Amino acid sequence: MALEVTKDNLQELIDSGKPLVIDFWAEWCGPCRMIGPIIEQLADEYGDRVNIGKCNIEENDTVAVKYSIRNIPTILFIKDGEIVDKQVGASPRPVIEEKVQKLIG
């Protein structure tokens, strides 16, 4: 199950030592709902090696502002506190999964 990323736990997730994948989304966003199940599946499969979470931009606008999120869905791939990759817009599972594998590779 994907983690809920909030302003309260973001730094803890970054400091955990594991790479972090954050899916920025909103309830009203159709493309966000399309990739939601993909994020959940990847969290189940890779959760032991990478923290994979979802950040609702309407409830956590400070996190979205911190990362200059202008479009959703946006997925950030963070390693050692630095953004190493980014995916803007809905993408098929293989595209997202490849980025996750590179992150932990």
Side-chain angles (χ1 to χ4, degrees), residues 87-101:
Q87 180 66 46
V88 179
S91 298
R93 179 187 165 125
V95 171
I96 300 169
E97 187 169 18
E98 180 180 342
K99 291 176 184 274
V100 170
Q101 289 174 345

Side-chain angles (χ1 to χ4, degrees), residues 1-67:
M1 182 174 181
L3 304 166
E4 181 180 355
V5 178
T6 68
K7 63 183 183 326
D8 297 326
N9 71 355
L10 175 64
Q11 195 59 49
E12 178 184 331
L13 291 170
I14 290 171
D15 294 341
S16 74
K18 282 184 179 179
L20 175 62
V21 176
I22 307 173
D23 170 25
F24 290 89
W25 70 286
E27 192 70 40
W28 48 263
C29 170
C32 298
R33 289 195 306 271
M34 287 173 36
I35 66 167
I38 296 169
I39 296 299
E40 293 292 341
Q41 291 166 3
L42 293 174
D44 290 344
E45 291 174 33
Y46 293 94
D48 58 332
R49 294 175 279 168
V50 60
N51 287 323
I52 299 178
K54 298 169 65 68
C55 181
N56 184 324
I57 63 162
E58 293 189 324
E59 296 172 2
N60 298 283
D61 58 336
T62 56
V63 178
V65 168
K66 173 183 172 78
Y67 290 111

